[in-house]
Amino acid sequence: MSAWGFIAAAVLANIATNVMLKKLMAGASNASGIPLVIELVTSWWFWGAAISGVVLVGGYLLAIRTLDLSVSYSIVTASALIGISIASALLLGESLTLVKLAGIALIIAGIYLISMTQGA
């Protein structure tokens, strides 16, 4: 897989991790301390987030072997921000306002400009 493929995997895993963590905490009880920890670590959302978190880190590490760190980090975090905004609207019922869409458009422009600096 190319470095850009690893970047894509890291972005998708980042989105999945964050959505699953939100689902985990939205379904959590008001318990605290050890009972809350036990409740969380016995949830499928926790383990899904953990696995996708490993994919995120693995994909990112493999990408930075060949891509500039400034490019890799910027693209992974900015693309994940876009994906999380869209996934939150589609899967969690959060709003996707005109202001958010304008922000997404600016992020896309920034990703394009940053990726132009990488000769991969």
Side-chain angles (χ1 to χ4, degrees):
M1 184 183 302
S2 74
W4 293 107
F6 291 125
I7 289 285
V11 169
L12 293 174
N14 192 332
I15 296 164
T17 300
N18 281 283
V19 168
M20 285 188 258
L21 288 174
K22 176 65 176 180
K23 295 291 265 183
L24 172 70
M25 295 314 295
S29 69
N30 289 329
S32 61
I34 299 297
L36 177 62
V37 171
I38 292 169
E39 177 186 339
L40 296 177
V41 300
T42 58
S43 167
W44 289 105
W45 291 118
F46 175 85
W47 292 104
I51 291 166
S52 61
V54 168
V55 172
L56 162 60
V57 172
Y60 182 70
L61 289 173
L62 292 169
I64 62 174
R65 283 177 26 183
T66 56
L67 294 176
D68 291 346
L69 179 61
S70 61
V71 172
S72 300
Y73 182 78
S74 299
I75 292 174
V76 167
T77 55
S79 297
L81 178 59
I82 293 167
I84 290 167
S85 296
I86 294 168
S88 295
L90 296 174
L91 302 173
L92 303 173
E94 295 181 10
S95 65
L96 193 56
T97 64
L98 192 55
V99 172
K100 284 184 184 179
L101 291 171
I104 288 170
L106 291 171
I107 293 168
I108 290 169
I111 292 169
Y112 173 75
L113 292 172
I114 289 170
S115 66
M116 286 178 44
T117 65
Q118 181 68 46

